[in-house]
Amino acid sequence: MIYVGIDIAKLNHFAAAMSSDGKILIEPFKFLNDADGFQLLISTINQFDRDDIIIGLESTAHYGDNLVRYLVAESYKVCILNPLQTSNMRKNNIRKTKTDKVDACIICKTLMMQDNPRFVSFYDLDIMDLKNLGRFRQKTLKQRTRLKIQLTSYVDEVFPELQYFFKSGLHQKSVYALLKEAPSPKEIASMHMTHMAHLLKVTSHGHFDKDTAQRLRVLAQKSVGVSDSSLSIQVTHAIYQIELLDSQLEKIDTEMTEIMKFHDSVIMTIPGIGYVNGGMILGEIGDIHRFSSPNKLLAFAGLDPSVYQSGNFQAKKTRMSKRGSKVLRYALVNAAHNVVKNNATFKAYYAAKISEGRSHYNALGHCAGKLVRIIWKIMTSNVVFNLE
């Protein structure tokens, strides 16, 4: 076999090739992280039979993603290595040397040590997309939450009575539509009654009628809020930003749903796990065979109990460690909440934990741990698991 090691960087990559007996076939060379650079790599290694080539590179953030996609599309066997493996190989060198050229050769040697290397497939690329989309979704949700908190504080100054007027609070389409047109009590009080009633009726799908509009006008006339143009601008801009984030989240969910429908994963056979939650779980787990037991997957999600021991003392009750992937932990707890509502076995398990005096989230954490074991089992065996 021919082993090609690639050291990934932001602008330039270094590649080298070795034979199975450790002989350097291609001295380390530099190529750019662009189309010409990728072509240079292909033309250099094309002197060997493609079926005999194994290409390896470290998992280094996003800098190598484009190259991996390119090589997989060109039907090369690509293996992504854990940086800890190459780090251990580097420590075996007598001289403490670290350069891009040396690292390319070290990656080659690390590839040789792999007993059963797992090559990147098109399925893995879709899983990478799910991981990126899931993490971007979490960031977008946090941005929207911050904006909603800001909007609430603005309205507290402009029209403090408004959030108590609507039972569902400020954050609904009807209130947003109203505030975009009239972001202050003075403007709401001066709105034409017919227009206000129509606006509320259309945006609420008939839930709010003319009587609601009349009571709202009276409330606006009596409001103690401040009619400040600067605050009005902040109110309208916050709403526009929230609506923009809403549309982005909708596009993310649509894309994740399409990927999940295409692959039809066995994880979707668990009642209560939807396409978005399932996509986030799959994206964070990646290759399930990385985890030799469900306990390791549980630890990766940070749902395992922390350990506290000192001398003869051993704590019997501890909090979850909350280490590992925050996104996976969020998705699993959210999925557990839905599974509890959709499955009798989980509902009984949740009720048992509540009866022990545990809080809602503590009980959900235990349900999420139980769910992890089921997910590990059905994904490693690739069969539908019956929860009943």
Side-chain angles (χ1 to χ4, degrees):
M1 297 297 295
I2 309 299
Y3 298 95
V4 178
I6 303 176
D7 184 64
I8 299 295
K10 183 175 182 179
L11 300 176
N12 304 307
H13 308 318
F14 274 84
M18 285 186 179
S19 61
S20 300
D21 57 4
K23 180 182 179 182
I24 297 179
L25 302 177
I26 300 176
E27 291 289 340
F29 66 95
K30 181 172 71 173
F31 64 97
L32 295 174
N33 186 25
D34 57 19
D36 292 337
F38 292 178
Q39 283 296 325
L40 174 61
L41 171 66
I42 296 299
S43 62
T44 305
I45 64 176
N46 262 350
Q47 57 185 289
F48 310 113
D49 187 350
R50 183 172 302 193
D51 293 334
D52 293 334
I53 297 175
I54 296 179
I55 301 174
L57 61 155
E58 290 179 315
S59 176
T60 50
H62 62 279
Y63 296 122
D65 288 355
N66 290 337
L67 180 58
V68 170
R69 293 177 189 277
Y70 180 83
L71 293 172
V72 172
E74 293 291 326
S75 302
Y76 283 96
K77 290 179 284 190
V78 182
C79 181
I80 297 179
L81 302 173
N82 189 323
L84 291 176
Q85 294 175 301
T86 55
S87 177
N88 290 332
M89 181 66 70
R90 190 179 296 110
K91 290 176 182 177
N92 292 333
N93 287 344
I94 297 176
R95 296 182 62 189
K96 190 176 181 180
T97 305
K98 186 188 184 306
T99 65
D100 294 337
K101 292 181 179 181
V102 170
D103 285 350
C105 294
I106 287 176
I107 292 171
C108 291
K109 293 177 181 178
T110 307
L111 271 177
M112 296 178 196
M113 303 294 291
Q114 304 297 307
D115 293 329
N116 295 302
R118 186 179 182 279
F119 304 123
V120 179
S121 64
F122 285 105
Y123 172 77
D124 295 316
L125 297 181
D126 283 343
I127 293 298
M128 287 169 57
D129 288 339
L130 286 175
K131 180 180 179 179
N132 293 332
L133 286 169
R135 293 189 174 190
F136 181 63
R137 186 178 190 276
Q138 288 301 97
K139 292 178 182 178
T140 307
L141 281 173
K142 286 183 179 180
Q143 291 177 8
R144 189 180 67 175
T145 300
R146 285 196 294 267
L147 281 168
K148 285 185 175 182
I149 293 172
Q150 289 177 0
L151 176 60
T152 301
S153 66
Y154 298 151
V155 175
D156 281 342
E157 294 185 67
V158 175
F159 194 174
E161 303 88 353
L162 184 63
Q163 60 182 310
Y164 304 106
F165 179 79
F166 295 97
K167 291 182 179 179
S168 299
L170 288 177
H171 306 291
Q172 50 182 306
K173 290 183 178 180
S174 301
V175 181
Y176 285 178
L178 176 68
L179 289 176
K180 282 194 295 184
E181 285 199 24
S184 70
K186 184 177 180 181
E187 291 172 289
I188 293 174
S190 61
M191 283 183 73
H192 195 281
M193 181 54 61
T194 304
H195 176 64
M196 186 193 299
H198 177 73
L199 177 68
L200 292 174
K201 184 177 180 179
V202 171
T203 53
S204 68
H205 300 288
H207 183 71
F208 299 132
D209 53 16
K210 188 174 182 180
D211 179 62
T212 304
Q214 290 174 337
R215 289 188 292 109
L216 182 59
R217 168 179 274 186
V218 172
L219 187 68
Q221 291 170 343
K222 297 180 179 179
S223 176
V224 295
V226 179
S227 295
D228 190 317
S229 60
S230 64
L231 281 173
S232 297
I233 291 173
Q234 292 176 81
V235 167
T236 54
H237 283 206
I239 291 173
Y240 281 121
Q241 289 180 61
I242 291 170
E243 290 179 337
L244 174 61
L245 293 176
D246 283 336
S247 66
Q248 290 176 343
L249 285 168
E250 187 177 343
K251 290 178 181 178
I252 293 169
D253 291 353
T254 301
E255 182 65 22
M256 293 181 74
T257 299
E258 289 179 359
I259 295 173
M260 289 297 291
K261 284 182 176 179
F262 178 78
H263 290 289
D264 193 25
S265 171
V266 291
I267 199 174
M268 297 308 300
T269 61
I270 300 177
I273 292 187
Y275 290 116
V276 174
N277 248 340
M280 291 174 69
I281 293 171
L282 288 184
E284 290 299 314
I285 291 176
D287 178 17
I288 190 63
H289 299 288
R290 295 188 301 159
F291 307 97
S292 57
S293 70
N295 287 338
K296 291 184 178 180
L297 179 56
L298 197 70
F300 178 69
L303 290 170
D304 58 322
S306 56
V307 178
Y308 186 81
Q309 181 271 332
S310 179
N312 294 326
F313 174 76
Q314 176 72 49
K316 294 182 179 179
K317 290 185 178 181
T318 58
R319 297 176 181 271
M320 68 172 66
S321 66
K322 290 190 177 181
R323 299 291 179 93
S325 171
K326 293 187 293 184
V327 177
L328 178 59
R329 186 165 58 252
Y330 166 86
L332 286 169
V333 172
N334 195 28
H337 178 72
N338 293 329
V339 174
V340 165
K341 294 190 294 184
N342 288 275
N343 181 261
T345 303
F346 268 86
K347 189 174 183 179
Y349 184 72
Y350 171 82
K353 292 299 176 183
I354 292 293
S355 66
E356 294 174 5
R358 300 181 184 275
S359 67
H360 167 68
Y361 284 107
N362 188 288
L364 272 185
H366 281 82
C367 291
K370 186 179 179 71
L371 184 61
V372 165
R373 300 181 188 279
I374 292 172
I375 290 173
W376 183 86
K377 184 172 183 178
I378 65 174
M379 288 186 67
T380 51
S381 58
N382 199 33
V383 293
V384 176
F385 188 86
N386 187 5
L387 291 174
E388 298 295 344

